[in-house]
Amino acid sequence: MKLALSIAFRFISSSKAQTLLIILGIAIGVSVQVFIGSLIQGLQKDLVNTTIGNSSQVTITSNTSDRKIDNWQKILEEVESIQLPTPLTALSASADVPVFISSGDRTISVLLRGLQFPQANSIYGIDAKIIEGELPKTAGEVLVGKDLKDELGLQKGGQITIITPDRSIETLRIAGVFDLKVASLNKSWLISSISTSQGVGKLGDSVTSIEMQVEEVFKADEDATAIASALADAKLDVTNWKAQNADLLTGLNGQSISSIMIQVFVIIAVSLGIASVLAITVVQKSRQIGILKAMGLKDSVSSQVFLFQGLSLGIIGAVVGIAFGFLLILMFSTFAVGPDGEPVVGIYVNYGFIMLSAFIAIGASTIAALVPARRSSKLSPVEVIRNG
């Protein structure tokens, strides 16, 4: 093995131009994999966070006619005790009541969302999205969205008049203003404590949903199935974000498939290039190989020479390629920015994925060396020396 390794390094160093081309080809292939893979993973994370990052990922609702969940505190305790495929990161109850806002001669339909604070902050992050005022602390206080405030000319500390489902009129105090960065929610949500919403909607001690977030968002459906099975209550429905966002999942799967296809074709191109160059090396070095065989070099050792060449070139190319990949990521994050100075797409650096790309490149380089290795083992020293 030492002899084969020594000869392999001598062949590599004696053909500097060919060696440089192979290393460059591998490096470009690895850097493309690292950059494209990191970019697509970052894009997927951004899409998931934007779509469901601040919303319920597993939701328990009632399928009864009044849509009420009466024993919700007990259900919360039961859910917390269930051994789930992926742990919960947030668990909270909410009481939603559709109401109308009466403002002058206008009547606007909105949703009064009674949230369980502080638990709900782990899902919606309301406390970090208040731009004026503070969270509702007493019954009868609400938060209004920035867009609704501007549209109706509302002010923090002022009052808002709502019409409830049973046509009674309630006056609520505006404790603050929130901005969820989604205009439709900023216009259509009023946020209050559960007690305020229960009072407005005449819900008693009931809620309308129990909301959760999970540690691994793509396993939310498994958690939902486990919760539904454990609760075994015909009056409750357990849904998850994957069942409600089929189009998003299709888009994410399409992105993943396109990323895999790019990587496969890059690996094929790199492998063909390595096999071609090493095959030429066999021809170029055939006289030396023939002389070495005449001196007693075994066929297996001559094959190992080219396998070690492929392995060595793969390792060097992978290291250089990872460096190139990080350089591309740095350049993209520096120059591809929006008006706020933030990158247009947040690149997610997954070190496990980067190491996998490197090992794939090394493996492909070694496998590509099999053809020239097999060819060198079949060289006849007599024929090679005789024909030059």
Side-chain angles (χ1 to χ4, degrees):
M1 185 175 290
K2 288 184 179 180
L3 177 60
L5 191 59
S6 175
I7 296 171
F9 280 124
R10 181 164 295 185
F11 281 179
I12 289 173
S13 60
S14 65
S15 303
K16 293 183 176 59
Q18 289 181 349
T19 299
L20 183 61
L21 283 174
I22 295 176
I23 292 174
L24 187 60
I26 297 171
I28 291 174
V30 172
S31 65
V32 168
Q33 288 188 72
V34 169
F35 176 70
I36 294 296
S38 299
L39 181 64
I40 289 180
Q41 288 183 50
L43 179 59
Q44 290 180 336
K45 278 189 167 290
D46 282 351
L47 284 173
V48 171
N49 286 335
T50 301
T51 307
I52 53 125
N54 291 116
S55 62
S56 178
Q57 296 162 2
V58 178
T59 307
I60 299 174
T61 56
S62 171
N63 58 21
T64 59
S65 58
D66 59 10
R67 313 301 292 177
K68 294 180 183 179
I69 301 176
D70 296 322
N71 55 340
W72 60 276
Q73 294 96 337
K74 181 181 177 182
I75 295 174
L76 288 177
E77 293 175 0
E78 290 181 9
V79 171
E80 286 180 330
S81 66
I82 300 171
Q83 294 295 321
L84 298 172
T86 180
L88 298 179
T89 58
L91 177 63
S92 174
S94 66
D96 298 341
V97 180
V99 298
F100 293 95
I101 296 177
S102 176
S103 177
D105 59 351
R106 300 181 61 189
T107 302
I108 300 173
S109 174
V110 296
L111 182 66
L112 176 63
R113 300 221 62 199
L115 301 181
Q116 184 184 17
F117 295 113
Q119 293 89 335
N121 284 325
S122 298
I123 299 177
Y124 297 102
I126 300 296
D127 54 342
K129 294 172 182 175
I130 296 177
I131 57 177
E132 291 182 49
E134 58 186 2
L135 285 172
K137 292 183 177 179
T138 60
E141 291 186 332
V142 294
L143 296 174
V144 300
K146 173 180 176 292
D147 295 83
L148 185 63
K149 167 186 173 288
D150 294 339
E151 183 177 346
L152 299 181
L154 304 174
Q155 296 295 329
K156 179 183 76 70
Q159 293 184 332
I160 187 170
T161 302
I162 62 171
I163 303 171
T164 66
D166 63 357
R167 298 187 179 181
S168 62
I169 297 176
E170 299 278 349
T171 300
L172 304 174
R173 177 181 174 273
I174 300 174
V177 180
F178 64 83
D179 182 9
L180 297 179
K181 305 298 182 182
V182 181
S184 60
L185 297 183
N186 286 342
K187 284 186 176 182
S188 61
W189 278 16
L190 297 179
I191 296 176
S192 70
S193 64
I194 277 188
S195 59
T196 297
S197 186
Q198 287 173 332
V200 170
K202 307 296 189 293
L203 298 177
D205 191 39
S206 301
V207 298
T208 57
S209 65
I210 294 174
E211 303 174 328
M212 290 158 264
Q213 283 196 337
V214 299
E215 191 172 279
E216 297 183 42
V217 293
F218 287 101
K219 291 186 178 181
D221 54 336
E222 297 179 23
D223 275 10
T225 300
I227 291 170
S229 177
L231 295 179
D233 191 332
K235 296 181 180 180
L236 298 177
D237 290 329
V238 183
T239 59
N240 68 89
W241 75 271
K242 293 175 72 174
Q244 298 171 331
N245 293 272
D247 290 342
L248 175 61
L249 284 175
T250 300
L252 293 176
N253 288 334
Q255 288 180 343
S256 298
I257 293 171
S258 65
S259 176
I260 292 171
M261 289 181 65
I262 291 171
Q263 294 173 48
V264 167
F265 283 115
V266 167
I267 287 295
I268 291 174
V270 169
S271 300
L272 290 175
I274 294 169
S276 300
V277 174
L278 290 183
I280 294 172
T281 303
V282 173
V283 176
Q284 292 175 333
K285 305 295 184 181
S286 59
R287 185 174 179 83
Q288 291 94 317
I289 295 171
I291 293 172
L292 289 171
K293 282 189 173 184
M295 294 171 64
L297 185 72
K298 295 181 179 179
D299 290 343
S300 60
V301 177
S302 69
S303 296
Q304 290 174 9
V305 168
F306 291 93
L307 290 176
F308 281 134
Q309 274 189 271
L311 177 63
S312 302
L313 293 170
I315 293 173
I316 298 171
V319 172
V320 175
I322 290 174
F324 281 174
F326 277 113
L327 179 61
L328 288 173
I329 290 173
L330 178 62
M331 292 174 63
F332 183 86
S333 301
T334 302
F335 298 109
V337 296
D340 58 353
E342 293 295 320
V344 291
V345 176
I347 292 184
Y348 175 66
V349 179
N350 184 334
Y351 292 101
F353 168 76
I354 291 172
M355 293 306 298
L356 177 62
S357 298
F359 283 124
I360 290 175
I362 293 169
S365 301
T366 306
I367 293 171
L370 286 174
V371 174
R374 181 180 175 84
R375 184 175 178 182
S376 69
S377 68
K378 293 182 177 181
L379 285 176
S380 169
V382 176
E383 291 295 327
V384 170
I385 296 172
R386 179 186 298 169
N387 296 324

